[in-house]
Amino acid sequence: MHSVFSISRFGALLGCAVLGMVALLGSANAQPVRVKDLGKLQGWRENALVGTGIVTGLAGTGDSPSNRGARQALSNAMSQFNLNIAPEQIQSRNVAVVMVSASLSPFSREGDTLDITVASVGDARSLVGGSLMLTPLKAVNGRIYALAQGPLSVGGYRYDANGNVVQKNHPTVGSVPGGATVEVGVQAQVLSEHSRMTFVLSEPDYTTANRVADAINLRLGAGLAQARDASGIEVYVPEDQRRQVVSFVAKLESVTVEPDRRAKVVLNERTGTVVSGGDVRISKVAVSHGDIKVSIRNEVAASQPVFIGNAGDGVRTALVTNTRVDVDEQNAGTGFISGGTTVSDLVQSLARMKTPTRDIISILRAIKTAGALHAELIIQ
């Protein structure tokens, strides 16, 4: 019988033969991208709506009778229909108090429908089969912008009987597609009183902002755009275009530019994923690698007495265990990465050598620690 285990030391052997296997991918040049895909106009934003409602029609899986909030909410709802029932007289588990949320788009108009999410706030066990009563949805300013109601769609269930519980996903959260109707429309204000609009980059960068401003001036007219900071480009709307703002914005969004980008390498140790730009450079650095394999074998032998027939009392066969330890160390060496090598070159050559992804991650982290990887290392 024997047992074997391996101990791996950090590193990777990058000799001249390895460097000869590197496939030259070349620098990944940035491709022209529409301004529309780099950000949005200031004022273009979603608006959060929220409200408190009641889900009815539950099959005994609603809030417990001891829940004062559910009893009070149901009593208030009944009073609107001239049914005066004291909260303490309500003993029902077919209702549940919920929070209703939705998102109002920048250019929503009266009559548009919104998808809503319904979540229990009490001790209800499940919202399966329930229907949301008419619920007003308010914004942070306290004004009602939409009304929600309708049967819930719950992607789960919960059933229990005699102490046995069967549950799938989260049955206390549901949704109603198109369950809210907009009562008050909103209009995003993208044009200021000084006939200017501001384009905001999704990823702030001074170089990209300057390029966007130059591209807009080249396409729409000199002096119209000016980069104010790393994320905002202020655009002046000419007088003859102010009555055709939609057409002007369409032309603005169709302007193409080559965005600049920061050098980043993303490492995910949980999944063993390495994502990097093709042009991330590595300076000249030496990397050493070696593996130690330790093999432990236990050999069991039987030791018999010399004269079996004349053995005295207490003499018996003995088992003797001999342990054998073998250490196999592969030839370790030091390889040099020449300046100008990219991360994609390094990763591709290591992949061709069938190097495990987690070892590649360790190598990149060590190169970054040595100051030879000129990129931001993001570890997830």
Side-chain angles (χ1 to χ4, degrees):
M1 83 188 255
H2 69 277
S3 59
V4 179
F5 67 93
S6 297
I7 302 176
S8 296
R9 293 188 311 188
F10 161 76
L13 175 58
L14 296 176
C16 296
V18 176
L19 294 178
M21 296 175 59
V22 175
L24 298 179
L25 299 178
S27 299
N29 296 325
Q31 299 296 325
V33 179
R34 295 182 305 172
V35 170
K36 181 178 183 177
D37 301 324
L38 295 177
K40 60 183 179 181
L41 291 174
Q42 184 174 340
W44 184 292
R45 57 184 293 272
E46 301 286 333
N47 300 276
L49 302 179
V50 67
T52 303
I54 302 175
V55 172
T56 60
L58 303 177
T61 59
D63 294 336
S64 63
S66 60
N67 191 314
R68 296 180 59 184
R71 292 186 299 174
Q72 185 65 57
L74 187 57
S75 176
N76 294 342
M78 292 299 181
S79 64
Q80 299 180 14
F81 301 96
N82 298 325
L83 295 176
N84 298 322
I85 303 176
E88 57 272 10
Q89 295 178 344
I90 297 177
Q91 301 291 327
S92 174
R93 291 218 60 165
N94 295 338
V95 298
V97 178
V98 295
M99 295 295 295
V100 185
S101 60
S103 183
L104 189 65
S105 63
F107 294 96
S108 296
R109 300 180 183 276
E110 294 82 353
D112 291 349
T113 58
L114 307 174
D115 297 337
I116 60 175
T117 301
V118 181
S120 172
V121 295
D123 56 355
R125 296 193 296 265
S126 175
L127 299 180
V128 174
S131 180
L132 178 68
M133 294 181 60
L134 187 63
T135 303
L137 301 181
K138 301 180 181 180
V140 293
N141 58 6
R143 186 177 181 183
I144 297 175
Y145 284 88
L147 298 177
Q149 70 175 1
L152 270 65
S153 173
V154 181
Y157 55 79
R158 175 189 169 99
Y159 301 103
D160 58 275
N162 300 325
N164 298 319
V165 179
V166 178
Q167 179 173 332
K168 178 181 179 181
N169 297 335
H170 297 279
T172 54
V173 178
S175 62
V176 183
T181 303
V182 177
E183 298 295 327
V184 179
V186 294
Q187 290 290 331
Q189 298 294 330
V190 297
L191 188 62
S192 68
E193 58 183 6
H194 302 292
S195 301
R196 298 180 184 274
M197 58 180 61
T198 302
F199 186 83
V200 182
L201 296 177
S202 300
E203 297 183 2
D205 184 85
Y206 283 104
T207 303
T208 302
N210 186 66
R211 291 180 182 178
V212 170
D214 292 341
I216 294 175
N217 290 332
L218 182 63
R219 174 74 178 275
L220 302 182
L224 293 182
Q226 182 178 2
R228 294 298 184 184
D229 49 42
S231 64
I233 299 96
E234 190 176 81
V235 181
Y236 176 75
V237 181
E239 185 176 357
D240 58 339
Q241 297 288 332
R242 293 172 191 172
R243 294 183 177 272
Q244 301 176 350
V245 177
V246 175
S247 176
F248 181 82
V249 172
K251 296 177 183 178
L252 173 65
E253 292 180 336
S254 63
V255 175
T256 58
V257 65
E258 292 185 1
D260 195 26
R261 62 180 180 183
R262 297 177 183 271
K264 295 182 181 179
V265 179
V266 181
L267 308 178
N268 192 319
E269 293 185 316
R270 295 188 300 275
T271 60
T273 304
V274 180
V275 179
S276 169
D279 54 352
V280 177
R281 299 288 174 177
I282 301 177
S283 297
K284 187 175 181 180
V285 66
V287 181
S288 178
H289 170 72
D291 287 336
I292 292 179
K293 183 179 181 181
V294 180
S295 177
I296 301 177
R297 291 180 173 84
N298 296 324
E299 299 177 354
V300 181
S303 176
Q304 298 285 0
V306 178
F307 301 101
I308 300 297
N310 298 325
D313 295 337
V315 178
R316 66 175 64 91
T317 300
L319 297 178
V320 179
T321 301
N322 296 321
T323 301
R324 179 180 176 182
V325 180
D326 295 328
V327 179
D328 180 16
E329 182 174 7
Q330 297 181 0
N331 294 329
T334 301
F336 294 93
I337 300 177
S338 60
T341 302
T342 65
V343 171
S344 61
D345 296 335
L346 175 62
V347 172
Q348 186 175 18
S349 62
L350 291 176
R352 288 184 176 180
M353 295 176 62
K354 298 182 179 180
T355 304
T357 307
R358 299 189 183 278
D359 289 347
I360 297 176
I361 291 176
S362 298
I363 293 171
L364 292 174
R365 294 181 65 177
I367 294 176
K368 175 62 177 179
T369 304
L373 179 60
H374 304 296
E376 180 182 358
L377 199 61
I378 302 175
I379 301 176
Q380 297 180 340

